[in-house]
Amino acid sequence: MKLIRRISSSLRSKLLLMFVFFTCVPLISVGLISYQKSFNIVFKNSKASTKLVADTQARDIDQLFIDTGKLLELRKNPQVLQFLFSQNAATYENAKDILKTISSYRQTYRYDKVLNITMINLYGRGISERKGVFQIDRNPLRNPQLAYLVDHPDEVLNVPFGNSSMERLDGFQYNNTNVISMISTVQQRITHEVIGFIIIDMDDSIVKKFCDEVTIGRNGFFFVVDKDGNPIFSPSQTGGRSGLPKKEDLKELLNGSATELIDSSEGKPKFIFASASLSTGWKIIGYVPLQEIVEEANSIRQLIIISVGLCIAFALILHFFVSSRLIRPVHVLKNKMQLAASGFLEAKVTPAGTDEIAELGNSFNIMLGKIRTLLDQIIKEQQEIKKAEQRALQAQINPHFLYNTLDSILWMAEAGKKDQVVQLVMSLSRLFRISLSKGKDWITVAKELEHLQSYLTIQRMRYRDILEYEIDVDESLHSYPILKMTLQPIVENAIYHGIKNKRGKGLIRIRAFAEDDKHIVFVVEDNGIGMPPERLEKVRSDLSEAQPPEETGNEVSGGFGLHNVQQRIRLYYGEACKVQLDSEPNEGTVVTIRLPAAWRESEVSA
C-alpha cells in the first residue's frame, strides 16, 4: 500500500513506471519463455551425455569381470580338484601341470589385467602363480570372505581395494598396486561339497583411472559404491570419502527406485545419477553441481539479463532526460518545502527562468523570510519570560530564608550572645554575596558548596544541640557549573520538616558524584522523622504541579522549597531533569537531583 501511494503521488514515479512497463515487460516475457525451453533442452542433453559416460564405464567393468570370470573354469579342472581334495603335499609334477594350465588360459584369453591366480583348500595348502605351492599355518575359514562363501557356495565375491584374501593367506604383497579379487568356491563334482577356493586378483586401474581422470564439468566427478552404498573407488582429488555425498542421500539410487536426483540439502543443488554394473552389483555414481550441468543455459540467461538491463538503462536515461526538463523544478521546490516544514528555514529556492514555477519559488522565499522574522521575535520574548520566571522563583526563596535567619539573630541578640551574632552576620554576608553572584544565574559547584556551608553554619548555631552535617563531594566536581541556590532550599526543607521535629541529634549528609561521565548526582539525606506514604505522595504530586503548594502559618508546607527548586531546574535544564523524593516514616528523607555534567559553562562566574 505504501508503494502504491508513493507511486500515485509522484509524477516522476508514474513516468518511470510507464517507461519500464512498456519497454521491459514484453522483452522479459519472451526471455523467460526462451530461457525455459533452452534450459530444458540443454539440461536433458547434458544429463544424457554424462549418464552415457557412466553407462560405458559400467559396461567396461562388466566386460572385465565377464572375461575374467572365464578363468573360474579352472575350478573344474581334474588336476585342480585333485590338488585341493588331497591332504598330502602335492608333487612337483602335479603343481607344474596346474601352472601350465593357468598359463594356457592366459595365452588364450590375453588376461593383461589379471595379476595372480591362487587356489587354496580347506587345510591351508595352496598354489599361486607368483608363489607356487605354499602352506599357511592357520585355518583359511578365519578369512571373512571365505567363511561367507562356505555358506553361499554358488556366489562369486568381488573384493576391491587390495582386500584380497591372498594378501593375508599366502603373505604375498603387491607393490603400489591395489587389486580387485574375484573369489569363488571349488566344489567336489559329485557331492558339491566345498573343497577349496579360487582367487583371481585383477589390477583395479581400469576403475581407478576412470574415477581419477574422467570428470563432469569443472568440479563434478564419478565414484563407485558397492551394493550397500559403501564407497569403494573415489577420485583422489576429493580427498577420499570426505568429498562424497552421504549414504542416506543416495538411498533412492541404491534401491533402484530412481536413476537420478537433485540434492539441495547442503549448499548449492547437486545433480546425482547412477549406472549399475550387472556383473558386480556395484553402482557408478556421478556427482556434479547442477549449475555446471546447465552452464550453457545460464549463458543464454545472462544474455537475456544483459538485454533486459540495457533496455531498462535506456528507459531510465529517457525518463531522467524528460523529468529533468519537466519535473525537476517541481521536485526541488517540493524538497525545499519539506525542509521548511521540518524546521529548516534556510531552505531557499533558486528560481531558474521566468515561468510559473519560478514565481512560486520567489513567493516561497519571501514567505520563509517573514516566518524567520516572526520566530526571532517570539524567541526573544520567550527568553525574557523565562528569565523573569526564574528571577521570581529565586525571589520566593531568598525572603523566606532571610526571615528565618533574622529571627535567629534577633533571638541571639536578646540572649546577649554577641560573638555568635557577629559570626552569624558574617556567614549571612558571605551567603548573600554568593547568592547575588554579580547577577549571574550560574556558579560553580565549589561556590554552591561554600554557599551551603555558610547556610549550615548559621543553622547549626541556631540548632546546636540537634543538628550535625556532612559534606562529601569530590574535588574533581568543584569546577562544574550549577544553577545557584539549588541545594540550600532542599537542606532548609530537611531541617524544618525532618530534623527539627526529631528527638535527639539530627544529621544531614550532602553527597555528589559523577554518573557515566554525563551527569552529576546530588543527594541530600537526613535522618529526621520522614513522611508517611500518603504525605509522600502528596508532596510528589505537588512537585509535578505548575503552581507551588500553599504556605501554612509561618513556615512553608513540606514541598514549597522543593517545588521552587524543581521549577528552576525544569526552566534551565529541561523536563528530563527533576527532583526525586524518597522517605520512610521515622527513618528520614532522601532528595536526589540528577543534572547534566556540563551546561552553559560560559555563564559561570569567574
Side-chain angles (χ1 to χ4, degrees):
M1 292 299 295
K2 291 182 178 179
L3 180 61
I4 294 175
R5 287 197 298 268
R6 183 175 180 181
I7 293 176
S8 62
S9 61
S10 172
L11 185 58
R12 172 174 286 186
S13 299
K14 291 178 182 177
L15 287 176
L16 177 62
L17 184 63
M18 179 184 68
F19 278 110
V20 172
F21 182 81
F22 286 107
T23 56
C24 298
V25 170
L27 183 59
I28 292 175
S29 301
V30 173
L32 289 176
I33 296 173
S34 303
Y35 171 71
Q36 189 62 37
K37 288 187 174 295
S38 63
F39 178 87
N40 293 334
I41 294 174
V42 172
F43 188 34
K44 183 178 179 180
N45 292 338
S46 299
K47 289 194 299 183
S49 62
T50 52
K51 291 183 66 177
L52 180 61
V53 176
D55 291 339
T56 302
Q57 181 62 21
R59 288 194 296 270
D60 291 344
I61 294 176
D62 287 340
Q63 189 62 46
L64 172 65
F65 279 89
I66 290 173
D67 293 343
T68 306
K70 295 177 182 179
L71 289 172
L72 295 179
E73 296 177 0
L74 289 170
R75 59 186 176 177
K76 300 180 181 179
N77 185 281
Q79 294 174 333
V80 172
L81 292 173
Q82 180 181 357
F83 175 84
L84 296 178
F85 187 76
S86 173
Q87 299 185 24
N88 300 323
T91 63
Y92 173 77
E93 292 298 328
N94 191 11
K96 186 176 180 181
D97 291 339
I98 293 175
L99 295 176
K100 285 182 179 180
T101 302
I102 295 174
S103 178
S104 65
Y105 267 85
R106 281 186 172 277
Q107 293 177 1
T108 302
Y109 297 107
R110 299 294 181 185
Y111 290 108
D112 298 331
K113 298 297 181 180
V114 176
L115 303 178
N116 188 30
I117 301 175
T118 304
M119 287 163 282
I120 187 170
N121 64 11
L122 299 178
Y123 305 106
R125 186 161 60 89
I127 184 172
S128 71
E129 287 184 287
R130 293 180 177 263
K131 197 170 182 179
V133 178
F134 61 88
Q135 176 69 43
I136 62 175
D137 56 359
R138 63 181 184 276
N139 186 357
L141 296 183
R142 292 176 61 184
N143 182 282
Q145 289 87 11
L146 301 186
Y148 175 84
L149 287 174
V150 170
D151 297 329
H152 306 82
D154 296 328
E155 292 190 20
V156 178
L157 295 182
N158 300 300
V159 184
F161 278 126
N163 292 323
S164 169
S165 299
M166 292 310 298
E167 287 183 353
R168 290 190 291 260
L169 295 177
D170 65 0
F172 182 79
Q173 299 290 333
Y174 295 99
N175 294 328
N176 300 323
T177 303
N178 290 326
V179 299
I180 304 173
S181 297
M182 181 182 291
I183 310 174
S184 178
T185 60
V186 178
Q187 304 176 24
Q188 210 274 341
R189 287 185 177 180
I190 299 176
T191 64
H192 299 289
E193 179 185 1
V194 175
I195 61 174
F197 307 91
I198 181 170
I199 304 166
I200 304 172
D201 292 336
M202 297 175 289
D203 187 356
D204 70 349
S205 61
I206 186 174
V207 183
K208 186 63 177 174
K209 187 175 181 180
F210 169 77
C211 293
D212 284 339
E213 297 182 1
V214 179
T215 59
I216 314 171
R218 294 185 302 275
N219 300 303
F221 57 88
F222 289 98
F223 64 98
V224 182
V225 299
D226 60 19
K227 59 183 179 180
D228 296 324
N230 299 312
I232 52 179
F233 291 97
S234 61
S236 302
Q237 60 267 27
T238 63
R241 300 181 182 183
S242 61
L244 305 180
K246 299 177 182 178
K247 185 188 295 187
E248 52 267 23
D249 297 336
L250 306 176
K251 185 176 180 181
E252 296 182 3
L253 299 179
L254 297 176
N255 59 27
S257 60
T259 59
E260 62 184 54
L261 55 86
I262 296 177
D263 178 23
S264 302
S265 59
E266 295 182 3
K268 296 182 179 179
K270 308 293 190 305
F271 177 61
I272 309 176
F273 57 93
S275 183
S277 170
L278 301 178
S279 299
T280 62
W282 300 346
K283 287 187 181 293
I284 299 175
I285 307 295
Y287 186 77
V288 59
L290 183 63
Q291 184 71 19
E292 297 183 14
I293 292 291
V294 296
E295 194 166 10
E296 294 183 10
N298 289 337
S299 299
I300 298 176
R301 179 181 63 183
Q302 292 175 359
L303 181 60
I304 295 173
I305 292 175
I306 292 173
S307 300
V308 173
L310 291 175
C311 290
I312 293 175
F314 175 77
L316 291 176
I317 293 172
L318 183 61
H319 160 71
F320 284 111
F321 176 77
V322 174
S323 64
S324 63
R325 294 286 183 177
L326 300 178
I327 304 171
R328 188 171 179 274
V330 177
H331 188 67
V332 170
L333 181 58
K334 171 193 168 186
N335 290 337
K336 296 295 184 179
M337 288 182 174
Q338 289 177 340
L339 288 174
S342 65
F344 182 67
L345 300 181
E346 299 297 330
K348 288 186 176 181
V349 177
T350 304
T354 58
D355 55 11
E356 291 83 354
I357 297 177
E359 292 181 2
L360 183 61
N362 287 325
S363 300
F364 175 72
N365 292 338
I366 295 172
M367 179 187 68
L368 286 183
K370 292 182 177 180
I371 291 175
R372 284 198 303 271
T373 301
L374 292 174
L375 284 177
D376 291 340
Q377 293 176 357
I378 293 173
I379 290 173
K380 290 180 180 179
E381 292 175 358
Q382 290 296 326
Q383 289 176 346
E384 293 299 324
I385 293 173
K386 186 175 181 181
K387 288 182 179 180
E389 289 177 347
Q390 196 276 335
R391 298 284 196 281
L393 288 172
Q394 187 172 338
Q396 288 178 335
I397 296 174
N398 289 337
H400 175 62
F401 168 71
L402 181 60
Y403 168 79
N404 290 331
T405 305
L406 293 176
D407 183 61
S408 298
I409 294 173
L410 178 61
W411 175 80
M412 289 183 180
E414 289 178 351
K417 299 179 180 181
K418 183 171 109 176
D419 295 338
Q420 287 88 341
V421 170
V422 171
Q423 185 179 358
L424 194 61
V425 171
M426 291 177 63
S427 297
L428 183 62
S429 174
R430 287 195 301 269
L431 186 142
F432 275 101
R433 185 173 62 252
I434 296 176
S435 298
L436 295 175
S437 301
K438 299 180 182 179
K440 292 186 177 292
D441 296 324
W442 296 85
I443 60 175
T444 62
V445 171
K447 289 292 184 181
E448 178 71 7
L449 293 177
E450 184 181 347
H451 177 269
L452 188 61
Q453 184 82 28
S454 298
Y455 173 78
L456 286 170
T457 299
I458 296 171
Q459 296 291 48
R460 189 176 181 183
M461 293 178 66
R462 292 184 62 207
Y463 305 105
R464 181 178 301 274
D465 297 332
I466 65 171
L467 178 61
E468 291 289 342
Y469 65 89
E470 296 177 2
I471 299 178
D472 181 15
V473 178
D474 192 276
E475 291 186 0
S476 61
L477 303 179
H478 286 185
S479 61
Y480 281 93
I482 187 174
L483 192 64
K484 68 181 179 182
M485 292 189 69
T486 298
L487 301 178
Q488 180 269 332
I490 297 175
V491 172
E492 180 179 5
N493 211 63
I495 294 174
Y496 279 101
H497 301 285
I499 303 300
K500 188 176 178 181
N501 298 320
K502 170 184 172 63
R503 289 186 178 181
K505 183 165 290 190
L507 174 65
I508 296 178
R509 182 180 292 109
I510 300 97
R511 296 182 294 116
F513 56 89
E515 184 180 69
D516 301 330
D517 295 329
K518 295 182 180 179
H519 295 85
I520 298 178
V521 179
F522 295 91
V523 180
V524 178
E525 180 180 359
D526 68 73
N527 63 349
I529 62 171
M531 286 183 279
E534 59 275 8
R535 179 60 182 159
L536 178 62
E537 290 301 319
K538 177 65 170 61
V539 175
R540 286 177 174 173
S541 176
D542 290 341
L543 287 177
S544 63
E545 298 294 334
Q547 297 297 326
E550 294 182 357
E551 296 187 8
T552 58
N554 294 327
E555 297 178 359
V556 296
S557 63
F560 183 80
L562 293 176
H563 186 274
N564 277 297
V565 174
Q566 171 85 316
Q567 291 299 99
R568 294 174 65 223
I569 288 175
R570 284 183 175 177
L571 282 172
Y572 276 84
Y573 292 104
E575 292 293 329
C577 297
K578 59 183 180 179
V579 176
Q580 179 181 338
L581 183 65
D582 298 287
S583 183
E584 291 289 339
N586 300 319
E587 292 187 9
T589 302
V590 179
V591 179
T592 304
I593 303 175
R594 182 176 283 99
L595 302 177
W599 183 261
R600 297 187 181 180
E601 296 186 12
S602 61
E603 296 192 18
V604 178
S605 58

